[in-house]
Amino acid sequence: YSRAFKVRLNDIVDPLDSFETFGDFFTRRIHPRPVDNDPRVLVSPADSKVLCLSEVTKDECVIVKGIEYRLGELLTGINTYKVTEEVLQGMKKDPKNKLYQIVLYLSPGDYHRYHSPCDYHIKSRNHIVGKLLPVKEKYVKTHTDVYEKNERVSIFGEWPEGFMSMVFVGAMNVGSIV
């Protein structure tokens, strides 16, 4: 498995034979890494591939080239909820600021723990029951509404620069977030 999915074995803290289950290996501990301490810098919350980074200007946001998701539905689980221009403006600490979204894909070989990308104060969370469809880029490009259909947890809060939300999307064979 480690060879097939290019797991970085030198990052792992515990011996390979200490993992009792595949889930234990999947959420393995790794050695600490350096982190930029600048309060205006965001670090990746997970080992992952960046599928998309773009400005949010309306309810539809890009997942990968040519495929979009509905921001309101993704965040709330309500398929008729639309994020309006007024709501987007209300998310900004300063009206001159821009809102951005990033889509991160964790491959089977990635370390599957999430960390805070900054000094982040979580105010609420929303668990959205759904399916566990694959989230691999090839699948997402050929199937509609994967992110909106999958089980997920949305968290809402603030960082020093204003509003921030993170959405953790479940996937086939990975259906729990602790």
Side-chain angles (χ1 to χ4, degrees), residues 40-71:
R40 294 187 53 142
V41 170
L42 296 173
V43 296
S44 178
D47 283 356
S48 53
K49 174 184 178 182
V50 175
L51 294 184
C52 181
L53 171 64
S54 63
E55 185 178 355
V56 176
T57 59
K58 57 184 181 174
D59 190 52
E60 287 80 29
C61 296
V62 175
I63 294 176
V64 291
K65 189 173 182 176
I67 306 294
E68 294 184 339
Y69 65 88
R70 293 175 306 282
L71 181 60

Side-chain angles (χ1 to χ4, degrees), residues 42 75 87 90-93 99-100 116-126 153-168:
L42 296 173
L75 293 174
V87 169
M91 292 176 177
K92 298 177 183 183
K93 188 173 185 177
L99 294 172
Y100 287 90
S116 180
C118 59
D119 182 12
Y120 182 41
H121 177 72
I122 298 171
K123 294 187 171 187
S124 65
R125 73 164 179 84
N126 185 23
V153 173
S154 299
I155 59 174
F156 305 91
E158 291 183 359
W159 71 302
E161 299 300 312
F163 172 82
M164 180 187 291
S165 178
M166 294 174 63
V167 180
F168 305 100

Side-chain angles (χ1 to χ4, degrees), residues 8 79 98 112 118 125 150:
R8 295 186 320 200
N79 66 0
K98 293 181 179 183
H112 274 64
C118 59
R125 73 164 179 84
N150 273 15

